[in-house]
Amino acid sequence: MATIIIPTPLRKFTGNQSTFKVNDAGTISEAIHSLTDQYTDLKKHVIDEEGKIRSFVRLYLGDEDVSALDQKAETRIKESDVISIVPAIAGGKI
Amino acid sequence: MSTHIKTSTLQLSASGLEVVRKDAVKAYPDECCGFLFGTETEGRKITLAVPVTNHKDGDKRRRFEIHPQDYLRAERLAAEIGLDLLGVYHSHPEHPALPSLTDLEMALPYFSYVIVSVKSGKVVDERSWKLNESLGLFEEEFIMQPIHLS
Ligand SMILES: [Zn+2]
């Protein structure tokens, strides 16, 4: 089982669970969808209307930005993999 | 944009506040940013503030951005030291400590957003804001007098 790490501000949508175990037979994208299928309130924070990862969210596979991987979110995962959901943190005075 | 109903309180340790204020002055006239850690057993208490680089590729005097790697490190640090990642701070150089539309657009649930107002290189105000998701706006958190937390 691979692991998805839920960022602290979104844990209220996963019943305060910080991690989620996924079947490692699939891709990163499938893993994320299995998470949001289970926790539907989390979905709008992670997935956009087209079923893609929201632009305000980055995924990391270990220490690698998933968008920098050859196959991006279609990369296949293995048992020891840890996927982190990283929310964009930004703002400013104007 | 924001209401002035203070629905919750936030305790900020004197040492944490010191870190935030110093970072705001050091970064001036740019915006500074960093993470806030603490506990939530009896109300929200911030005991640790950790500055990170303003990674904004553009005008840092009116925008801040935290690199995703720094975010990952912050989550890992929280787990390591047994504290919760409770929020983010940033500064508003020559601007009030009120959240902007950009701040609101990027706001996450649950986090406390501490904003420091810096005028002529000096900290003049700090206020904390938390997203009310159902109303889609920020509510102010009352910052209690800095306390010395062990
Ligand atoms: Zn701001």
Side-chain angles (χ1 to χ4, degrees), chain B residues 9-54:
Chain B
T9 60
L10 180 75
Q11 292 187 59
L12 204 53
S13 71
S15 59
L17 186 57
E18 174 94 349
V19 167
V20 172
R21 285 175 174 166
K22 276 192 173 156
D23 194 27
V25 169
K26 193 177 148 209
Y28 182 89
D30 288 348
E31 295 195 3
C32 69
C33 51
F35 289 105
L36 302 169
F37 303 85
T39 58
E40 206 155 36
T41 43
E42 295 158 56
R44 186 166 276 197
K45 285 183 193 168
I46 305 292
T47 54
L48 175 69
V50 176
V52 294
T53 304
N54 178 355

Side-chain angles (χ1 to χ4, degrees), chain B residues 2-9 127-130 132 135 137-142:
Chain B
S2 62
T3 69
H4 288 80
I5 310 161
K6 299 186 184 185
T7 52
S8 51
T9 60
R127 295 166 79 167
S128 185
W129 306 86
K130 197 173 178 184
N132 178 322
L135 298 177
L137 47 75
F138 273 115
E139 283 172 351
E140 187 166 6
E141 293 182 297
F142 179 66

Side-chain angles (χ1 to χ4, degrees), chain B residues 75-140:
Chain B
E75 286 279 11
R76 285 172 189 166
L77 176 67
E80 260 171 52
I81 60 180
L83 291 176
D84 293 324
L85 180 57
L86 294 174
V88 170
Y89 72 84
H90 72 284
S91 61
H92 282 180
E94 302 301 333
H95 212 77
L98 304 172
S100 65
L101 281 175
T102 312
D103 290 336
L104 182 60
E105 190 190 29
M106 299 304 293
L108 292 160
Y110 178 80
F111 269 177
S112 291
Y113 288 89
V114 170
I115 302 177
V116 186
S117 173
V118 189
K119 298 240 164 92
S120 308
K122 288 198 173 74
V123 172
V124 293
D125 195 15
E126 56 257 324
R127 295 166 79 167
S128 185
W129 306 86
K130 197 173 178 184
L131 180 67
N132 178 322
E133 263 205 290
S134 47
L135 298 177
L137 47 75
F138 273 115
E139 283 172 351
E140 187 166 6

